[in-house]
Amino acid sequence: MSKILEIKDLTIHYVTDSEVVRAVNDISIELEEGESLGLVGETGAGKTTTALGVLGLVPNPPGKVISGEVIYKGQDLLKLSDAEMRKIRGREISMIFQDPMTALNPVLTVGDQIMEVVRLHQKVSKAEAMKRAMEMMEMVGIEGARCGEYPHQFSGGMKQRIVIAIALACNPNLLIADEPTTALDVTIQAQVLDLIDNLKKKFNTSMLLITHDLGVVAEVCDKVAIVYAGRIVEYGTLNHIYNNPHHPYTNGLFGSIPDFSHKAHRLNPIKGLMPDPSNLPEGCAFAERCPHVTDACRKKQPIAVEVEPGHFVRCLLHEKEVR
Amino acid sequence: MSNLLEVKNLKKYFKTNRGLLHAVDDVSFTIPRGKTLGIVGESGCGKSTLGRTVIHLHEKTSGQILFDGKDISDVDKHQLKALREDMQMIFQDPFSSLNPRMSVSQLIAEPLLIYKKCSGKELEQTVMQLMDTVGLAQRLYNSYPHELDGGRRQRIGIARALALSPKFIVCDEPVSALDVSIQAQIINLMQDLQEEHQLTYMFITHDMSVVRHISDDIMVMYLGMMVECCDSEEIFHNRFHPYTKALLDAVPIPQVREKKERRLIKGEITSPIHPGDECRFAKRCPYADQICFEKTPVSEEICPGHFVSCHHVREINHLQENK
């Protein structure tokens, strides 16, 4: 296995006249070939901005990549020109967007939309591209003959399958999936997750899965990064995070989910709210909500420590233990 | 223990250009005083319509609704106004269900003013008290909804529903739009309020873990019809209907576990317009045979308190014939 993607200390801010929103702060991630990493966090944690940063799609202005490197197969994507980046998007790295209802163009047939990406990246005739589009549709479980239909003629689950077909049409090496199943019903979600999982295995695609659903992550990911206020607070394998969580926020997240396998009388939610990313505290961003908070937490930004091989936690509580 | 709400053979059809849409078809259930009935199902199964029809936000097509011993199936405007004091609703989307031009205090005071419950200083005090009950800080008294996050907005929605001290609240996906940590806070709040005020809830959701946590009884709906209804613990251990099985199997569980083969159901929800005399799940059901396409199954009490609508429930589950 070799590294396919390495994000090093990525920092992205949204700068407006009145404030600076620190959306992503020093995020570092490594992804091996064929591996899936789940980026988990709540609304506003900076998950989607991280993904947009990888693809060079952060809206600028106001978005600005302050520092960091995104190394894909040995080259830093952030240093590439727009033209070079366009060659990578869709062919090497592609993205599945969250909302299938708005991700598709309503005035183009779905066949045309799948064809578009094929024709952009491969020198093929229109007829060949259409053949490829129909193959892709069959692969995601929709009759190829429906390629002349428009998005509104499909249901939500089918639209998401078409979005997946577009993303996979050029056999990308890396797939970024931004909440691919959030807008879908559970039975359809299960179908789509199975589909992504099968296609991933078939083509040995790596995946960065962005979600807030710890259940979905457990189904499809190998590694997990828990994001809070633009920082990765805990990072490790599925087993590390689910069976041996260390960070108080991770524990809080698990305490907030009603347990499906047995009935508890009360939930243990995390108190309070996520801090405003335009006004992050000096110390640990989770301090105000943390049950184990100390004075030191409010002053010092914790560094990531390795509590067991491959399992990193960013918390002062564990910083001391390790030393 | 008496039943607060009793619904018998409730039907709600909508006229559409393409024909009659059977949103709720022949649904019967009861909710005992102080208990919670969870209604689950995928989008388009009629769960919201059912909730709205029960409290007369939609006028029913036929059927009977008994509330607190009284028949409220047909009420005029004045009776309805009196009735609404006792039955309230919490809406799904705290971003669109609050008037953006009204302040928090105005929003919460609105039902009290409409029912001329109090005015002046007393009104102010009652509003303060309600804010306290739902955990809204007093400093937010003059804030507007756009200044608040989703969790706080949903608290306003709950305060509005509680203002008239109702007996019965229809909760239509009250936590679906919220992040998990906030969702847990709201669920705990709703449970506390239920205990304090002996509230009866009809809790509509698509989230299986949430519904198990909060409900005493669960009703599963599919395309306007009830497919299974029983005690909430029972349904997680002994589920008999093939749809319920598939639905619960599809829920991703936040645990590291062996990848089990899931019994995924194929296809998607079919159209509720002009359904024929058939089991509505038949087209997706792995056990369907001829009778399923010829006759609509009726709900049967398989064991005490456990109702299932399926022709083949006994063969599928290897159960003995009653008596």
Side-chain angles (χ1 to χ4, degrees):
Chain A
M1 284 226 276
S2 62
K3 250 178 244 168
I4 183 158
L5 179 76
E6 197 178 353
I7 302 177
K8 280 188 194 160
D9 304 320
L10 185 66
T11 302
I12 302 173
H13 291 176
Y14 291 102
V15 185
T16 63
D17 288 344
S18 52
E19 59 186 11
V20 177
V21 177
R22 290 182 281 165
V24 173
N25 305 300
D26 288 329
I27 278 192
S28 301
I29 289 173
E30 282 176 19
L31 195 59
E32 309 271 341
E33 228 165 81
E35 201 177 44
S36 303
L37 179 118
L39 208 55
V40 184
E42 296 179 88
T43 315
K47 311 182 294 282
T48 302
T49 304
T50 308
L52 294 178
V54 171
L55 285 168
L57 289 175
V58 179
N60 181 16
K64 213 172 166 189
V65 178
I66 302 293
S67 63
E69 289 169 54
V70 177
I71 297 167
Y72 173 77
K73 289 188 171 169
Q75 58 178 339
D76 187 352
L77 296 185
L78 297 178
K79 294 205 175 74
L80 296 183
S81 68
D82 285 354
E84 286 169 312
M85 209 48 218
R86 271 200 293 277
K87 281 187 183 155
I88 285 181
R89 271 184 229 133
R91 177 158 62 185
E92 301 277 337
I93 306 176
S94 59
M95 183 151 175
I96 300 175
F97 292 92
Q98 171 166 6
D99 187 356
M101 319 298 159
T102 55
L104 294 170
N105 187 335
V107 298
L108 289 179
T109 64
V110 295
D112 281 342
Q113 297 189 52
I114 305 175
M115 228 166 80
E116 186 184 12
V117 59
V118 179
R119 296 203 57 181
L120 268 176
H121 294 294
Q122 291 166 5
K123 282 203 176 107
V124 291
S125 71
K126 219 170 167 177
E128 277 172 84
M130 187 49 94
K131 209 176 128 225
R132 173 85 186 135
M134 285 163 81
E135 272 171 33
M136 287 310 297
M137 285 176 68
E138 295 282 348
M139 205 168 65
V140 296
I142 301 173
E143 284 168 61
R146 295 188 68 182
C147 66
E149 293 185 15
Y150 290 88
H152 74 267
Q153 291 169 289
F154 294 89
S155 67
M158 285 178 138
K159 275 186 225 170
Q160 191 60 296
R161 283 162 194 265
I162 289 163
V163 172
I164 292 171
I166 295 174
L168 294 176
C170 290
N171 292 343
N173 291 311
L174 174 64
L175 183 63
I176 300 177
D178 187 1
E179 307 256 15
T181 57
T182 308
L184 307 176
D185 278 318
V186 272
T187 59
I188 309 298
Q189 164 171 293
Q191 291 172 2
V192 170
L193 288 179
D194 263 25
L195 174 73
I196 293 180
D197 211 37
N198 288 337
L199 296 176
K200 229 182 58 157
K201 282 197 192 106
K202 199 164 154 195
F203 299 114
N204 198 30
T205 313
S206 314
M207 179 164 73
L208 187 63
L209 176 74
I210 296 171
T211 181
H212 64 272
D213 189 329
L214 285 163
V216 170
V217 172
E219 300 273 332
V220 291
C221 291
D222 308 301
K223 278 195 202 161
V224 188
I226 309 277
V227 193
Y228 186 78
R231 275 179 209 279
I232 293 180
V233 294
E234 187 157 5
Y235 179 64
T237 63
L238 202 57
N239 205 16
H240 289 150
I241 304 290
Y242 282 71
N243 294 334
N244 192 16
H246 276 59
H247 198 281
Y249 176 64
T250 315
N251 281 314
L253 274 185
F254 281 108
S256 299
I257 314 172
D259 194 339
F260 190 69
S261 45
H262 74 276
K263 191 167 181 167
H265 184 58
R266 270 184 84 81
L267 300 173
N268 293 307
I270 308 167
K271 59 175 191 194
L273 302 169
M274 191 150 78
D276 182 356
S278 65
N279 187 20
L280 288 180
E282 186 190 342
C284 173
F286 189 60
E288 285 311 316
R289 304 176 75 183
C290 183
H292 310 291
V293 64
T294 61
D295 282 344
C297 297
R298 295 204 168 86
K299 286 179 199 124
K300 193 174 158 240
Q301 187 57 244
I303 51 165
V305 291
E306 196 165 7
V307 286
E308 58 188 312
H311 184 180
F312 296 87
V313 181
R314 208 184 264 272
C315 177
L316 285 179
L317 218 61
H318 298 289
E319 215 171 285
K320 273 180 224 142
E321 269 172 35
V322 170
R323 274 171 198 165
Chain B
M1 182 79 70
S2 62
N3 290 329
L4 183 74
L5 185 77
E6 221 174 315
V7 170
K8 286 180 195 160
N9 306 100
L10 191 69
K11 290 184 186 173
K12 174 68 200 174
Y13 298 165
F14 290 103
K15 280 200 190 98
T16 68
N17 289 337
R18 286 182 296 155
L20 215 50
L21 188 151
H22 294 227
V24 176
D25 218 347
D26 213 6
V27 172
S28 306
F29 60 89
T30 57
I31 313 180
R33 212 174 285 275
K35 298 284 181 188
T36 303
L37 173 73
I39 313 265
V40 291
E42 297 178 272
S43 41
C45 73
K47 48 191 195 307
S48 291
T49 308
L50 177 64
R52 286 165 175 257
T53 309
V54 165
I55 60 169
H56 286 274
L57 279 175
H58 289 316
E59 276 318 310
K60 63 173 175 46
T61 305
S62 69
Q64 200 181 21
I65 308 165
L66 296 173
F67 180 74
D68 216 359
K70 288 192 296 267
D71 189 338
I72 59 157
S73 320
D74 298 290
V75 286
D76 61 29
K77 249 171 132 183
H78 294 285
Q79 290 168 310
L80 185 58
K81 190 177 174 191
L83 203 60
R84 287 265 163 79
E85 266 196 81
D86 285 332
M87 20 173 57
Q88 287 288 321
M89 182 152 181
I90 299 172
F91 294 92
Q92 169 168 12
D93 185 355
F95 296 87
S96 62
S97 60
L98 299 175
N99 185 341
R101 304 181 70 162
M102 288 168 82
S103 69
V104 173
S105 57
Q106 284 172 325
L107 283 163
I108 299 176
E110 198 183 16
L112 296 165
L113 287 171
I114 291 173
Y115 281 85
K116 301 195 177 67
K117 288 288 168 193
C118 46
S119 58
K121 261 268 169 293
E122 200 193 339
L123 179 70
E124 203 172 295
Q125 257 168 14
T126 318
V127 170
M128 289 281 199
Q129 241 168 32
L130 280 163
M131 287 177 69
D132 212 39
T133 316
V134 298
L136 283 169
Q138 310 247 313
R139 66 185 158 80
L140 302 173
Y141 191 80
N142 288 317
S143 309
Y144 284 85
H146 74 267
E147 299 171 68
L148 308 177
D149 60 277
R152 289 216 180 91
R153 279 187 235 197
Q154 199 53 292
R155 285 175 199 267
I156 301 176
I158 296 174
R160 274 163 67 87
L162 282 178
L164 297 170
S165 324
K167 293 176 185 153
F168 175 62
I169 301 181
V170 173
C171 318
D172 188 2
E173 307 253 18
V175 294
S176 314
L178 307 175
D179 273 320
V180 273
S181 69
I182 309 301
Q183 176 176 315
Q185 293 173 1
I186 299 292
I187 290 175
N188 277 351
L189 170 68
M190 292 183 64
Q191 283 184 313
D192 291 344
L193 292 173
Q194 179 168 37
E195 263 172 53
E196 264 171 61
H197 303 273
Q198 277 86 48
L199 293 169
T200 307
Y201 288 146
M202 180 166 160
F203 197 96
I204 300 164
T205 180
H206 65 271
D207 187 325
M208 299 298 147
S209 326
V210 168
V211 82
R212 176 176 197 186
H213 182 79
I214 200 157
S215 307
D216 298 291
D217 293 302
I218 291 180
M219 178 162 101
V220 183
M221 285 183 75
Y222 189 79
L223 273 182
M225 301 196 84
M226 181 211 95
V227 298
E228 191 158 358
C229 183
C230 68
D231 181 84
S232 79
E233 280 311 285
E234 168 93 358
I235 210 162
F236 285 87
H237 298 120
N238 294 313
R239 38 188 182 262
F240 294 139
H241 197 284
Y243 176 65
T244 316
K245 291 179 194 224
L247 186 66
L248 290 172
D249 274 356
V251 177
I253 296 176
Q255 276 165 12
V256 185
R257 51 180 190 159
E258 288 290 305
K259 291 265 182 301
K260 64 163 184 182
E261 272 303 308
R262 290 183 294 191
R263 286 168 288 189
L264 289 187
I265 41 172
K266 292 193 198 81
E268 306 195 9
I269 203 155
T270 44
S271 164
I273 293 173
H274 280 316
D277 259 347
E278 58 178 18
C279 170
R280 296 200 183 160
F281 185 58
K283 289 196 184 85
R284 298 173 79 185
C285 182
Y287 306 101
D289 65 6
Q290 204 172 356
I291 186 169
C292 303
F293 288 100
E294 284 168 1
K295 215 174 132 203
T296 310
V298 286
S299 143
E300 270 187 275
E301 192 161 8
I302 299 299
C303 43
H306 193 150
F307 297 86
V308 183
S309 311
C310 175
H311 290 300
H312 300 302
V313 60
R314 294 202 169 76
E315 292 121 86
I316 295 167
N317 298 291
H318 312 291
L319 297 173
Q320 297 293 314
E321 204 50 61
N322 276 0
K323 278 168 250 164

